[in-house]
Structure formats: structure tokens, C-alpha cells
């Protein structure tokens, strides 16, 4: 019996992915990631009005969490955000996400 070997070929090599990410900017990626997380939470919880705890760290994943919190608040969930990190040293996109959270009367607990 003859078996054929199949080799996986990447669609894009790492350097090409980084080029695409740089050209698209990371803010769009953060918005998409945060919206996806918020949508999943909404689907799992169902009804608006439930209380949600969001824990956000000081990096871009924390920025994703802040975007998710903003969407959940807009969907009438009661959102508490615990932020762990130094607000003055956030990456630019995460700082933008924090500003957007605060702009919708979001608050931070620590």
C-alpha cells in the first residue's frame, strides 16, 4: 500500500502576515476582537441587564477587553471593568480603547 505524504503549505508566511497587519492597522483588529468577545458573552448570557465582570490588563489584549466592555454596555449589560496596569504606559490602540470606554461613562475598578 502506498501512502501519499501531504505537506501543509501556509497561506501566508509570518512576514507577510505582519505586513498585512501593519497595513490594516491594529485598531481595526482590536475592534473586531472586542466585538467578537462581546457577541459571544451576549450569546452565552442571553438577556441584557445581567452583570458582567471584565478584567483588562495593560496590553492589547486588555484593549480587546475594553472594546468588549463598551459593546456590552451599549447592549444594556451592567459592566464592571477591573483594570490592572499603568494607564500611562498603554500601547496606542489599547489607550484608544480605554478612552472610548471612559467616553461612554465607563469606569475602572482596580
Amino acid at each position: 500500500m502506498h501512502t501519499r505524504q501531504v505537506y501543509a503549505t501556509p497561506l501566508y508566511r509570518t512576514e507577510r502576515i505582519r505586513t498585512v497587519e501593519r497595513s490594516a492597522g491594529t485598531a481595526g483588529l482590536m475592534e473586531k476582537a472586542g466585538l467578537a468577545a462581546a457577541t459571544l458573552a451576549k450569546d452565552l448570557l442571553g438577556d441584557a441587564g445581567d452583570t458582567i465582570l471584565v478584567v483588562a490588563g495593560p496590553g492589547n489584549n486588555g484593549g480587546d477587553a475594553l472594546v468588549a466592555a463598551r459593546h456590552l454596555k451599549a447592549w444594556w449589560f451592567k459592566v464592571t471593568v477591573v483594570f490592572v496596569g499603568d494607564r500611562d504606559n498603554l500601547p496606542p490602540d489599547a489607550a484608544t480603547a480605554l478612552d472610548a470606554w471612559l467616553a461612554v461613562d465607563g469606569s475602572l475598578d482596580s
Side-chain angles (χ1 to χ4, degrees):
M1 176 185 215
H2 177 69
T3 59
R4 187 174 78 135
Q5 287 187 333
V6 178
Y7 297 97
T9 304
L11 294 176
Y12 294 105
R13 298 208 177 278
T14 302
E15 63 271 4
R16 176 68 180 135
I17 292 171
R18 297 301 172 247
T19 300
V20 169
E21 288 174 344
R22 281 191 299 276
S23 68
T26 55
L29 296 174
M30 188 171 287
E31 282 295 320
K32 288 178 185 176
L35 177 58
T39 300
L40 177 61
K42 180 181 169 194
D43 291 347
L44 290 171
L45 291 171
D47 295 327
D50 284 345
T51 300
I52 298 177
L53 172 64
V54 175
V55 179
N60 283 332
N61 287 339
D64 297 345
L66 292 164
V67 171
R70 180 170 41 86
H71 285 291
L72 291 164
K73 182 176 175 63
W75 296 333
W76 301 103
F77 287 92
K78 297 172 190 150
V79 181
T80 299
V81 174
V82 173
F83 177 76
V84 180
D86 183 358
R87 293 170 60 173
D88 295 329
N89 290 322
L90 290 173
D93 293 336
T96 299
L98 174 59
D99 291 342
W101 168 247
L102 296 174
V104 297
D105 292 326
S107 62
L108 301 175
D109 290 346
S110 54

